[in-house]
Amino acid sequence: MTFQDSLSAAIFAGVVAIAVTLLIEKYGGAVGGILGTVPTTIVPAAAGIALASNNYSDLNTSLAIVPAGMLINGIFLANWRILPTYFNDTEKIYTTLFIITLISLSIWFLCGLIILKIIQISYDLSLSSFQIGLIGQILLTILGVVMSWRIGLTPRGKNKVNKYVVFSRGIMAAIAIGVAVWISSLGYPLLAGLASVFPAIFLTSMVALWISQGPSVPMGAVGPMILGGASVGVYAIVAMWALPNFGILLGSIITWSLAVIFWSIPCFQFVKWRQDNSLNSI
């Protein structure tokens, strides 16, 4: 594993990350929330961790925590729908934004520590990486369905997201993936797996959209982003099988295709169905 490998994974992750904010801005929270959460940064992350790992057992250990990590991200996003309802002073939107960001990140780090401990115990109980990943994916799916059941209005953005804010989210995503690959090369697969799903994309999406569009656009995107983001967990589970059997390049293509076809597309149809039903009941 070389520095160039980590840098390549980081750069690719940063480039693909920028598209999510633009998709939500253009298509609204429901549609953009799904389109913007197809597996992206997990692709270079998994490939980079595979290159950094001494064997595929370490890779699977890193991938096993990804669904649970996405569950934490779901909790992180849920805060962005729930917490704004407790702030009624529309003149202090930046203060509100800072408080919500601080609370959400604090909860993410606390949940991350708990998840790491739970997964370590799970391995002590002789659960396999696949079983651990599947349990996390089931819990993530339940949260996504609950948060997407009543979507309501998910308006499109009326203002352009500041280009510097969009660029910053690419930088944050690149740093997160670069750090994850680097940690994996040091021999800490669990930490690498958790770092690979640090909510850089979700955080910068929420902040960028909040600043440019106001709270309603990011709040409307929360449910679809949780459900759509579960495709990352699907990618991780499938990658445990595909990367060892087909190699990094072909395995990544197969894994991404399966995650999109069997998760992202059905989730898109589910979200549209729930949105139509929610709006008709108003």
Short mmCIF file of all heavy atoms in Angstrom, two decimals, residues 99-170:
data_model
loop_
_atom_site.label_atom_id
_atom_site.label_comp_id
_atom_site.label_asym_id
_atom_site.label_seq_id
_atom_site.Cartn_x
_atom_site.Cartn_y
_atom_site.Cartn_z
N ILE A 99 -25.69 24.75 16.36
CA ILE A 99 -26.10 23.90 17.49
C ILE A 99 -26.49 22.51 17.00
O ILE A 99 -26.08 21.50 17.57
CB ILE A 99 -27.28 24.55 18.25
CG1 ILE A 99 -26.83 25.85 18.93
CG2 ILE A 99 -27.84 23.58 19.29
CD1 ILE A 99 -27.95 26.64 19.56
N ILE A 100 -27.27 22.45 15.91
CA ILE A 100 -27.69 21.16 15.38
C ILE A 100 -26.49 20.36 14.88
O ILE A 100 -26.41 19.14 15.09
CB ILE A 100 -28.72 21.36 14.25
CG1 ILE A 100 -30.02 21.93 14.83
CG2 ILE A 100 -28.99 20.05 13.52
CD1 ILE A 100 -31.06 22.28 13.79
N THR A 101 -25.55 21.03 14.23
CA THR A 101 -24.34 20.36 13.74
C THR A 101 -23.55 19.78 14.91
O THR A 101 -23.10 18.63 14.87
CB THR A 101 -23.45 21.34 12.95
OG1 THR A 101 -24.17 21.83 11.82
CG2 THR A 101 -22.18 20.65 12.47
N LEU A 102 -23.38 20.57 15.96
CA LEU A 102 -22.62 20.13 17.12
C LEU A 102 -23.29 18.93 17.80
O LEU A 102 -22.63 17.93 18.14
CB LEU A 102 -22.47 21.28 18.12
CG LEU A 102 -21.61 21.02 19.35
CD1 LEU A 102 -20.18 20.72 18.94
CD2 LEU A 102 -21.64 22.23 20.29
N ILE A 103 -24.61 19.01 18.00
CA ILE A 103 -25.33 17.92 18.65
C ILE A 103 -25.27 16.66 17.80
O ILE A 103 -25.02 15.55 18.30
CB ILE A 103 -26.80 18.32 18.91
CG1 ILE A 103 -26.87 19.45 19.94
CG2 ILE A 103 -27.61 17.11 19.39
CD1 ILE A 103 -28.27 20.00 20.15
N SER A 104 -25.49 16.80 16.50
CA SER A 104 -25.52 15.65 15.59
C SER A 104 -24.17 14.93 15.55
O SER A 104 -24.11 13.70 15.60
CB SER A 104 -25.92 16.09 14.18
OG SER A 104 -27.20 16.67 14.17
N LEU A 105 -23.09 15.70 15.46
CA LEU A 105 -21.75 15.09 15.43
C LEU A 105 -21.40 14.44 16.76
O LEU A 105 -20.77 13.37 16.79
CB LEU A 105 -20.70 16.14 15.07
CG LEU A 105 -20.64 16.55 13.60
CD1 LEU A 105 -19.64 17.68 13.40
CD2 LEU A 105 -20.28 15.36 12.71
N SER A 106 -21.82 15.05 17.85
CA SER A 106 -21.56 14.47 19.17
C SER A 106 -22.26 13.12 19.31
O SER A 106 -21.69 12.14 19.82
CB SER A 106 -22.04 15.42 20.27
OG SER A 106 -21.33 16.65 20.23
N ILE A 107 -23.52 13.06 18.85
CA ILE A 107 -24.27 11.81 18.90
C ILE A 107 -23.61 10.77 18.00
O ILE A 107 -23.53 9.58 18.36
CB ILE A 107 -25.73 12.05 18.48
CG1 ILE A 107 -26.44 12.89 19.55
CG2 ILE A 107 -26.47 10.72 18.25
CD1 ILE A 107 -27.86 13.30 19.19
N TRP A 108 -23.10 11.19 16.84
CA TRP A 108 -22.45 10.25 15.91
C TRP A 108 -21.22 9.62 16.57
O TRP A 108 -21.04 8.41 16.51
CB TRP A 108 -22.05 10.97 14.62
CG TRP A 108 -21.57 10.03 13.55
CD1 TRP A 108 -22.32 9.43 12.59
CD2 TRP A 108 -20.22 9.56 13.35
NE1 TRP A 108 -21.54 8.62 11.80
CE2 TRP A 108 -20.25 8.67 12.23
CE3 TRP A 108 -19.01 9.80 13.99
CZ2 TRP A 108 -19.10 8.04 11.76
CZ3 TRP A 108 -17.86 9.15 13.52
CH2 TRP A 108 -17.91 8.29 12.42
N PHE A 109 -20.37 10.44 17.18
CA PHE A 109 -19.16 9.92 17.81
C PHE A 109 -19.50 9.00 18.98
O PHE A 109 -18.86 7.95 19.16
CB PHE A 109 -18.26 11.06 18.27
CG PHE A 109 -17.46 11.68 17.17
CD1 PHE A 109 -17.74 12.96 16.72
CD2 PHE A 109 -16.41 10.99 16.57
CE1 PHE A 109 -17.00 13.53 15.69
CE2 PHE A 109 -15.67 11.55 15.55
CZ PHE A 109 -15.96 12.82 15.10
N LEU A 110 -20.50 9.36 19.77
CA LEU A 110 -20.91 8.51 20.89
C LEU A 110 -21.43 7.17 20.39
O LEU A 110 -21.04 6.11 20.91
CB LEU A 110 -21.99 9.22 21.71
CG LEU A 110 -22.55 8.43 22.91
CD1 LEU A 110 -21.46 8.11 23.91
CD2 LEU A 110 -23.68 9.22 23.58
N CYS A 111 -22.29 7.21 19.38
CA CYS A 111 -22.82 5.97 18.81
C CYS A 111 -21.71 5.14 18.17
O CYS A 111 -21.73 3.91 18.22
CB CYS A 111 -23.90 6.28 17.77
SG CYS A 111 -25.43 6.93 18.46
N GLY A 112 -20.72 5.82 17.57
CA GLY A 112 -19.60 5.12 16.96
C GLY A 112 -18.82 4.30 17.98
O GLY A 112 -18.45 3.14 17.72
N LEU A 113 -18.56 4.88 19.14
CA LEU A 113 -17.86 4.16 20.20
C LEU A 113 -18.66 2.96 20.67
O LEU A 113 -18.11 1.87 20.92
CB LEU A 113 -17.58 5.11 21.37
CG LEU A 113 -16.60 6.25 21.11
CD1 LEU A 113 -16.53 7.18 22.33
CD2 LEU A 113 -15.22 5.70 20.78
N ILE A 114 -19.98 3.14 20.79
CA ILE A 114 -20.85 2.04 21.23
C ILE A 114 -20.85 0.92 20.19
O ILE A 114 -20.75 -0.26 20.53
CB ILE A 114 -22.29 2.56 21.47
CG1 ILE A 114 -22.29 3.56 22.64
CG2 ILE A 114 -23.24 1.40 21.74
CD1 ILE A 114 -23.62 4.25 22.85
N ILE A 115 -20.96 1.29 18.91
CA ILE A 115 -20.99 0.30 17.83
C ILE A 115 -19.69 -0.50 17.78
O ILE A 115 -19.69 -1.73 17.60
CB ILE A 115 -21.26 0.98 16.48
CG1 ILE A 115 -22.73 1.41 16.38
CG2 ILE A 115 -20.91 0.06 15.31
CD1 ILE A 115 -23.71 0.26 16.36
N LEU A 116 -18.56 0.19 17.91
CA LEU A 116 -17.27 -0.51 17.91
C LEU A 116 -17.22 -1.56 19.01
O LEU A 116 -16.74 -2.68 18.80
CB LEU A 116 -16.12 0.49 18.08
CG LEU A 116 -15.75 1.33 16.86
CD1 LEU A 116 -14.70 2.37 17.23
CD2 LEU A 116 -15.22 0.44 15.74
N LYS A 117 -17.71 -1.20 20.19
CA LYS A 117 -17.70 -2.13 21.32
C LYS A 117 -18.63 -3.31 21.05
O LYS A 117 -18.27 -4.47 21.32
CB LYS A 117 -18.13 -1.40 22.60
CG LYS A 117 -18.00 -2.26 23.85
CD LYS A 117 -16.56 -2.65 24.12
CE LYS A 117 -16.42 -3.44 25.40
NZ LYS A 117 -15.01 -3.88 25.64
N ILE A 118 -19.81 -3.03 20.51
CA ILE A 118 -20.77 -4.09 20.23
C ILE A 118 -20.21 -5.07 19.20
O ILE A 118 -20.36 -6.30 19.34
CB ILE A 118 -22.11 -3.49 19.73
CG1 ILE A 118 -22.82 -2.76 20.88
CG2 ILE A 118 -23.01 -4.59 19.16
CD1 ILE A 118 -24.07 -2.03 20.46
N ILE A 119 -19.57 -4.55 18.16
CA ILE A 119 -19.04 -5.42 17.12
C ILE A 119 -17.87 -6.25 17.64
O ILE A 119 -17.72 -7.43 17.29
CB ILE A 119 -18.63 -4.58 15.88
CG1 ILE A 119 -19.89 -4.06 15.20
CG2 ILE A 119 -17.79 -5.41 14.90
CD1 ILE A 119 -19.64 -3.25 13.96
N GLN A 120 -17.05 -5.66 18.50
CA GLN A 120 -15.97 -6.44 19.11
C GLN A 120 -16.54 -7.60 19.93
O GLN A 120 -16.02 -8.72 19.89
CB GLN A 120 -15.12 -5.53 19.99
CG GLN A 120 -14.23 -4.57 19.20
CD GLN A 120 -13.51 -3.58 20.09
OE1 GLN A 120 -13.89 -3.35 21.24
NE2 GLN A 120 -12.46 -2.97 19.56
N ILE A 121 -17.61 -7.34 20.67
CA ILE A 121 -18.27 -8.40 21.44
C ILE A 121 -18.86 -9.45 20.50
O ILE A 121 -18.80 -10.66 20.77
CB ILE A 121 -19.38 -7.80 22.33
CG1 ILE A 121 -18.75 -6.90 23.42
CG2 ILE A 121 -20.22 -8.90 22.98
CD1 ILE A 121 -19.77 -6.15 24.24
N SER A 122 -19.43 -8.99 19.36
CA SER A 122 -20.03 -9.91 18.39
C SER A 122 -18.99 -10.88 17.84
O SER A 122 -19.26 -12.08 17.67
CB SER A 122 -20.67 -9.13 17.24
OG SER A 122 -21.70 -8.29 17.72
N TYR A 123 -17.78 -10.37 17.57
CA TYR A 123 -16.72 -11.26 17.10
C TYR A 123 -16.31 -12.23 18.20
O TYR A 123 -15.99 -13.40 17.92
CB TYR A 123 -15.51 -10.44 16.63
CG TYR A 123 -15.63 -9.96 15.21
CD1 TYR A 123 -15.68 -8.60 14.91
CD2 TYR A 123 -15.70 -10.86 14.15
CE1 TYR A 123 -15.79 -8.15 13.60
CE2 TYR A 123 -15.81 -10.41 12.84
CZ TYR A 123 -15.85 -9.07 12.57
OH TYR A 123 -15.96 -8.64 11.28
N ASP A 124 -16.32 -11.78 19.45
CA ASP A 124 -16.01 -12.67 20.57
C ASP A 124 -17.03 -13.80 20.69
O ASP A 124 -16.72 -14.90 21.17
CB ASP A 124 -15.95 -11.89 21.88
CG ASP A 124 -14.76 -10.93 21.94
OD1 ASP A 124 -13.79 -11.17 21.19
OD2 ASP A 124 -14.81 -9.97 22.72
N LEU A 125 -18.26 -13.51 20.23
CA LEU A 125 -19.33 -14.51 20.25
C LEU A 125 -19.33 -15.37 18.99
O LEU A 125 -20.27 -16.14 18.76
CB LEU A 125 -20.70 -13.82 20.41
CG LEU A 125 -20.92 -13.07 21.72
CD1 LEU A 125 -22.25 -12.32 21.70
CD2 LEU A 125 -20.87 -14.03 22.90
N SER A 126 -18.28 -15.19 18.18
CA SER A 126 -18.07 -16.01 16.97
C SER A 126 -19.05 -15.72 15.84
O SER A 126 -19.28 -16.58 14.97
CB SER A 126 -18.13 -17.51 17.32
OG SER A 126 -17.11 -17.85 18.25
N LEU A 127 -19.63 -14.53 15.83
CA LEU A 127 -20.42 -14.13 14.67
C LEU A 127 -19.48 -13.81 13.52
O LEU A 127 -18.40 -13.27 13.72
CB LEU A 127 -21.29 -12.91 14.99
CG LEU A 127 -22.45 -13.11 15.97
CD1 LEU A 127 -23.19 -11.80 16.18
CD2 LEU A 127 -23.41 -14.18 15.47
N SER A 128 -19.91 -14.12 12.29
CA SER A 128 -19.08 -13.84 11.13
C SER A 128 -19.25 -12.39 10.69
O SER A 128 -20.19 -11.71 11.11
CB SER A 128 -19.47 -14.76 9.97
OG SER A 128 -20.78 -14.45 9.50
N SER A 129 -18.34 -11.92 9.85
CA SER A 129 -18.44 -10.56 9.32
C SER A 129 -19.74 -10.37 8.55
O SER A 129 -20.39 -9.33 8.65
CB SER A 129 -17.24 -10.26 8.40
OG SER A 129 -16.03 -10.26 9.13
N PHE A 130 -20.13 -11.39 7.80
CA PHE A 130 -21.39 -11.32 7.04
C PHE A 130 -22.58 -11.17 7.98
O PHE A 130 -23.48 -10.37 7.73
CB PHE A 130 -21.55 -12.57 6.17
CG PHE A 130 -22.87 -12.64 5.46
CD1 PHE A 130 -23.09 -11.89 4.31
CD2 PHE A 130 -23.90 -13.43 5.96
CE1 PHE A 130 -24.32 -11.95 3.66
CE2 PHE A 130 -25.13 -13.49 5.31
CZ PHE A 130 -25.34 -12.75 4.16
N GLN A 131 -22.61 -11.95 9.04
CA GLN A 131 -23.74 -11.89 9.99
C GLN A 131 -23.81 -10.53 10.66
O GLN A 131 -24.90 -9.97 10.83
CB GLN A 131 -23.59 -13.00 11.04
CG GLN A 131 -23.81 -14.40 10.49
CD GLN A 131 -23.45 -15.49 11.50
OE1 GLN A 131 -22.50 -15.35 12.26
NE2 GLN A 131 -24.22 -16.57 11.50
N ILE A 132 -22.66 -10.00 11.05
CA ILE A 132 -22.62 -8.68 11.69
C ILE A 132 -23.11 -7.61 10.72
O ILE A 132 -23.91 -6.73 11.08
CB ILE A 132 -21.19 -8.37 12.17
CG1 ILE A 132 -20.80 -9.31 13.32
CG2 ILE A 132 -21.07 -6.91 12.61
CD1 ILE A 132 -19.35 -9.22 13.72
N GLY A 133 -22.64 -7.69 9.48
CA GLY A 133 -23.08 -6.73 8.47
C GLY A 133 -24.56 -6.83 8.19
O GLY A 133 -25.25 -5.81 8.04
N LEU A 134 -25.09 -8.05 8.14
CA LEU A 134 -26.51 -8.25 7.85
C LEU A 134 -27.39 -7.70 8.96
O LEU A 134 -28.43 -7.09 8.69
CB LEU A 134 -26.78 -9.75 7.66
CG LEU A 134 -28.18 -10.13 7.19
CD1 LEU A 134 -28.49 -9.50 5.84
CD2 LEU A 134 -28.32 -11.65 7.11
N ILE A 135 -27.00 -7.89 10.22
CA ILE A 135 -27.77 -7.35 11.34
C ILE A 135 -27.82 -5.82 11.26
O ILE A 135 -28.88 -5.21 11.43
CB ILE A 135 -27.16 -7.80 12.68
CG1 ILE A 135 -27.33 -9.31 12.87
CG2 ILE A 135 -27.80 -7.06 13.85
CD1 ILE A 135 -26.58 -9.89 14.05
N GLY A 136 -26.68 -5.21 11.00
CA GLY A 136 -26.63 -3.76 10.86
C GLY A 136 -27.50 -3.28 9.71
O GLY A 136 -28.19 -2.26 9.82
N GLN A 137 -27.51 -4.03 8.60
CA GLN A 137 -28.30 -3.64 7.43
C GLN A 137 -29.80 -3.73 7.71
O GLN A 137 -30.57 -2.88 7.27
CB GLN A 137 -27.93 -4.54 6.24
CG GLN A 137 -28.59 -4.16 4.93
CD GLN A 137 -28.11 -2.82 4.41
OE1 GLN A 137 -27.01 -2.37 4.75
NE2 GLN A 137 -28.91 -2.18 3.59
N ILE A 138 -30.21 -4.75 8.44
CA ILE A 138 -31.63 -4.90 8.79
C ILE A 138 -32.10 -3.71 9.64
O ILE A 138 -33.16 -3.13 9.39
CB ILE A 138 -31.87 -6.23 9.52
CG1 ILE A 138 -31.66 -7.41 8.55
CG2 ILE A 138 -33.28 -6.27 10.12
CD1 ILE A 138 -31.68 -8.76 9.23
N LEU A 139 -31.30 -3.35 10.65
CA LEU A 139 -31.66 -2.22 11.52
C LEU A 139 -31.68 -0.91 10.72
O LEU A 139 -32.56 -0.07 10.92
CB LEU A 139 -30.67 -2.12 12.68
CG LEU A 139 -30.68 -3.29 13.66
CD1 LEU A 139 -29.56 -3.13 14.69
CD2 LEU A 139 -32.03 -3.40 14.36
N LEU A 140 -30.72 -0.75 9.82
CA LEU A 140 -30.66 0.45 8.98
C LEU A 140 -31.88 0.53 8.08
O LEU A 140 -32.46 1.61 7.90
CB LEU A 140 -29.38 0.41 8.15
CG LEU A 140 -29.20 1.49 7.08
CD1 LEU A 140 -29.25 2.88 7.68
CD2 LEU A 140 -27.88 1.27 6.33
N THR A 141 -32.29 -0.60 7.51
CA THR A 141 -33.46 -0.62 6.63
C THR A 141 -34.72 -0.23 7.39
O THR A 141 -35.55 0.54 6.88
CB THR A 141 -33.65 -2.02 6.02
OG1 THR A 141 -32.47 -2.36 5.28
CG2 THR A 141 -34.85 -2.05 5.09
N ILE A 142 -34.87 -0.74 8.59
CA ILE A 142 -36.04 -0.40 9.41
C ILE A 142 -36.10 1.11 9.66
O ILE A 142 -37.15 1.74 9.51
CB ILE A 142 -36.01 -1.17 10.74
CG1 ILE A 142 -36.20 -2.67 10.49
CG2 ILE A 142 -37.09 -0.65 11.69
CD1 ILE A 142 -36.01 -3.54 11.71
N LEU A 143 -34.96 1.69 10.04
CA LEU A 143 -34.92 3.13 10.28
C LEU A 143 -35.26 3.91 9.01
O LEU A 143 -36.02 4.88 9.06
CB LEU A 143 -33.53 3.54 10.79
CG LEU A 143 -33.31 5.03 11.02
CD1 LEU A 143 -34.26 5.57 12.10
CD2 LEU A 143 -31.86 5.32 11.41
N GLY A 144 -34.71 3.47 7.87
CA GLY A 144 -34.97 4.16 6.61
C GLY A 144 -36.43 4.13 6.22
O GLY A 144 -37.00 5.14 5.76
N VAL A 145 -37.07 2.97 6.39
CA VAL A 145 -38.49 2.85 6.04
C VAL A 145 -39.35 3.72 6.95
O VAL A 145 -40.26 4.42 6.49
CB VAL A 145 -38.94 1.38 6.13
CG1 VAL A 145 -40.46 1.26 6.02
CG2 VAL A 145 -38.27 0.55 5.03
N VAL A 146 -39.05 3.71 8.24
CA VAL A 146 -39.81 4.52 9.21
C VAL A 146 -39.69 6.01 8.87
O VAL A 146 -40.69 6.73 8.85
CB VAL A 146 -39.32 4.25 10.64
CG1 VAL A 146 -39.93 5.26 11.61
CG2 VAL A 146 -39.69 2.84 11.08
N MET A 147 -38.47 6.46 8.59
CA MET A 147 -38.25 7.88 8.33
C MET A 147 -38.78 8.31 6.96
O MET A 147 -38.97 9.50 6.70
CB MET A 147 -36.76 8.20 8.41
CG MET A 147 -36.16 8.04 9.80
SD MET A 147 -36.92 9.13 11.05
CE MET A 147 -36.39 10.74 10.47
N SER A 148 -39.01 7.34 6.06
CA SER A 148 -39.51 7.66 4.72
C SER A 148 -40.99 7.38 4.54
O SER A 148 -41.53 7.60 3.45
CB SER A 148 -38.72 6.85 3.66
OG SER A 148 -37.35 7.13 3.70
N TRP A 149 -41.65 6.89 5.59
CA TRP A 149 -43.05 6.48 5.44
C TRP A 149 -43.96 7.67 5.17
O TRP A 149 -44.87 7.59 4.34
CB TRP A 149 -43.51 5.72 6.68
CG TRP A 149 -44.79 4.98 6.45
CD1 TRP A 149 -46.04 5.29 6.91
CD2 TRP A 149 -44.95 3.78 5.68
NE1 TRP A 149 -46.96 4.37 6.48
CE2 TRP A 149 -46.30 3.43 5.71
CE3 TRP A 149 -44.06 2.97 4.95
CZ2 TRP A 149 -46.82 2.32 5.06
CZ3 TRP A 149 -44.56 1.86 4.30
CH2 TRP A 149 -45.92 1.54 4.36
N ARG A 150 -43.72 8.75 5.88
CA ARG A 150 -44.46 9.99 5.61
C ARG A 150 -43.45 11.07 5.23
O ARG A 150 -42.81 11.67 6.10
CB ARG A 150 -45.28 10.42 6.83
CG ARG A 150 -46.47 9.51 7.12
CD ARG A 150 -47.40 10.13 8.16
NE ARG A 150 -47.94 11.40 7.73
CZ ARG A 150 -49.03 11.54 6.95
NH1 ARG A 150 -49.67 10.46 6.53
NH2 ARG A 150 -49.46 12.72 6.61
N ILE A 151 -43.34 11.31 3.94
CA ILE A 151 -42.32 12.22 3.46
C ILE A 151 -42.85 13.65 3.37
O ILE A 151 -42.20 14.60 3.79
CB ILE A 151 -41.80 11.77 2.07
CG1 ILE A 151 -41.15 10.40 2.21
CG2 ILE A 151 -40.80 12.78 1.51
CD1 ILE A 151 -40.69 9.80 0.90
N GLY A 152 -44.06 13.81 2.83
CA GLY A 152 -44.60 15.15 2.69
C GLY A 152 -43.89 15.93 1.61
O GLY A 152 -43.35 15.38 0.64
N LEU A 153 -43.86 17.23 1.77
CA LEU A 153 -43.26 18.11 0.77
C LEU A 153 -41.73 18.03 0.83
O LEU A 153 -41.14 18.08 1.89
CB LEU A 153 -43.70 19.56 1.00
CG LEU A 153 -45.19 19.84 0.81
CD1 LEU A 153 -45.50 21.28 1.23
CD2 LEU A 153 -45.60 19.60 -0.63
N THR A 154 -41.13 17.89 -0.33
CA THR A 154 -39.67 17.90 -0.43
C THR A 154 -39.31 18.87 -1.55
O THR A 154 -39.02 18.46 -2.68
CB THR A 154 -39.12 16.50 -0.75
OG1 THR A 154 -39.75 16.01 -1.94
CG2 THR A 154 -39.38 15.53 0.38
N PRO A 155 -39.32 20.17 -1.26
CA PRO A 155 -39.16 21.17 -2.33
C PRO A 155 -37.79 21.15 -2.96
O PRO A 155 -36.80 20.78 -2.34
CB PRO A 155 -39.38 22.49 -1.57
CG PRO A 155 -39.01 22.19 -0.15
CD PRO A 155 -39.44 20.77 0.07
N ARG A 156 -37.76 21.57 -4.22
CA ARG A 156 -36.48 21.76 -4.88
C ARG A 156 -35.86 23.06 -4.38
O ARG A 156 -36.55 23.98 -3.94
CB ARG A 156 -36.68 21.86 -6.40
CG ARG A 156 -37.29 20.61 -7.02
CD ARG A 156 -37.35 20.76 -8.52
NE ARG A 156 -37.99 19.60 -9.13
CZ ARG A 156 -38.08 19.39 -10.45
NH1 ARG A 156 -37.56 20.28 -11.28
NH2 ARG A 156 -38.67 18.31 -10.91
N GLY A 157 -34.56 23.13 -4.48
CA GLY A 157 -33.88 24.35 -4.08
C GLY A 157 -34.16 25.48 -5.05
O GLY A 157 -34.21 25.28 -6.26
N LYS A 158 -34.35 26.68 -4.53
CA LYS A 158 -34.60 27.85 -5.37
C LYS A 158 -33.34 28.67 -5.57
O LYS A 158 -33.28 29.52 -6.46
CB LYS A 158 -35.69 28.72 -4.73
CG LYS A 158 -37.04 28.02 -4.62
CD LYS A 158 -38.06 28.93 -3.97
CE LYS A 158 -39.41 28.23 -3.87
NZ LYS A 158 -40.44 29.10 -3.22
N ASN A 159 -32.34 28.44 -4.75
CA ASN A 159 -31.10 29.20 -4.84
C ASN A 159 -29.94 28.27 -5.14
O ASN A 159 -29.95 27.10 -4.80
CB ASN A 159 -30.83 29.94 -3.52
CG ASN A 159 -32.00 30.79 -3.10
OD1 ASN A 159 -32.51 31.59 -3.87
ND2 ASN A 159 -32.44 30.61 -1.86
N LYS A 160 -28.91 28.82 -5.77
CA LYS A 160 -27.72 28.04 -6.07
C LYS A 160 -26.88 27.85 -4.81
O LYS A 160 -26.69 28.77 -4.03
CB LYS A 160 -26.87 28.76 -7.13
CG LYS A 160 -27.45 28.69 -8.54
CD LYS A 160 -27.38 27.27 -9.07
CE LYS A 160 -27.90 27.19 -10.49
NZ LYS A 160 -27.87 25.80 -11.01
N VAL A 161 -26.40 26.61 -4.63
CA VAL A 161 -25.50 26.35 -3.51
C VAL A 161 -24.16 27.00 -3.80
O VAL A 161 -23.63 26.88 -4.90
CB VAL A 161 -25.30 24.83 -3.31
CG1 VAL A 161 -24.32 24.56 -2.19
CG2 VAL A 161 -26.64 24.17 -3.00
N ASN A 162 -23.63 27.71 -2.81
CA ASN A 162 -22.35 28.39 -2.98
C ASN A 162 -21.28 27.41 -3.43
O ASN A 162 -21.11 26.34 -2.85
CB ASN A 162 -21.95 29.03 -1.64
CG ASN A 162 -20.71 29.89 -1.77
OD1 ASN A 162 -19.62 29.38 -2.00
ND2 ASN A 162 -20.88 31.19 -1.61
N LYS A 163 -20.53 27.78 -4.50
CA LYS A 163 -19.55 26.86 -5.06
C LYS A 163 -18.44 26.51 -4.07
O LYS A 163 -17.87 25.42 -4.12
CB LYS A 163 -18.94 27.45 -6.34
CG LYS A 163 -18.19 28.76 -6.15
CD LYS A 163 -17.65 29.28 -7.47
CE LYS A 163 -16.90 30.59 -7.28
NZ LYS A 163 -16.37 31.10 -8.58
N TYR A 164 -18.15 27.43 -3.16
CA TYR A 164 -17.11 27.15 -2.17
C TYR A 164 -17.59 26.11 -1.16
O TYR A 164 -16.81 25.28 -0.67
CB TYR A 164 -16.70 28.44 -1.46
CG TYR A 164 -16.11 29.46 -2.39
CD1 TYR A 164 -16.81 30.60 -2.74
CD2 TYR A 164 -14.84 29.27 -2.94
CE1 TYR A 164 -16.27 31.54 -3.61
CE2 TYR A 164 -14.29 30.20 -3.81
CZ TYR A 164 -15.02 31.33 -4.14
OH TYR A 164 -14.48 32.25 -5.01
N VAL A 165 -18.89 26.15 -0.84
CA VAL A 165 -19.46 25.16 0.07
C VAL A 165 -19.47 23.79 -0.59
O VAL A 165 -19.14 22.77 0.02
CB VAL A 165 -20.89 25.57 0.49
CG1 VAL A 165 -21.52 24.50 1.36
CG2 VAL A 165 -20.87 26.90 1.22
N VAL A 166 -19.84 23.76 -1.88
CA VAL A 166 -19.84 22.50 -2.62
C VAL A 166 -18.43 21.92 -2.69
O VAL A 166 -18.22 20.72 -2.49
CB VAL A 166 -20.40 22.71 -4.04
CG1 VAL A 166 -20.28 21.43 -4.86
CG2 VAL A 166 -21.85 23.15 -3.98
N PHE A 167 -17.45 22.77 -2.96
CA PHE A 167 -16.07 22.33 -3.04
C PHE A 167 -15.59 21.79 -1.69
O PHE A 167 -14.87 20.79 -1.62
CB PHE A 167 -15.17 23.48 -3.49
CG PHE A 167 -13.72 23.11 -3.63
CD1 PHE A 167 -13.30 22.31 -4.68
CD2 PHE A 167 -12.79 23.55 -2.71
CE1 PHE A 167 -11.97 21.96 -4.82
CE2 PHE A 167 -11.45 23.20 -2.84
CZ PHE A 167 -11.03 22.41 -3.89
N SER A 168 -16.03 22.43 -0.60
CA SER A 168 -15.58 22.01 0.73
C SER A 168 -16.08 20.62 1.07
O SER A 168 -15.39 19.85 1.75
CB SER A 168 -16.06 23.01 1.79
OG SER A 168 -17.47 22.95 1.95
N ARG A 169 -17.29 20.25 0.57
CA ARG A 169 -17.79 18.92 0.87
C ARG A 169 -16.97 17.86 0.15
O ARG A 169 -16.79 16.75 0.65
CB ARG A 169 -19.27 18.81 0.55
CG ARG A 169 -19.61 18.58 -0.91
CD ARG A 169 -21.11 18.61 -1.11
NE ARG A 169 -21.75 17.57 -0.34
CZ ARG A 169 -21.97 16.34 -0.78
NH1 ARG A 169 -21.58 16.00 -1.97
NH2 ARG A 169 -22.58 15.46 -0.03
N GLY A 170 -16.48 18.19 -1.03
CA GLY A 170 -15.59 17.27 -1.72
C GLY A 170 -14.29 17.07 -0.96
O GLY A 170 -13.78 15.95 -0.86
#
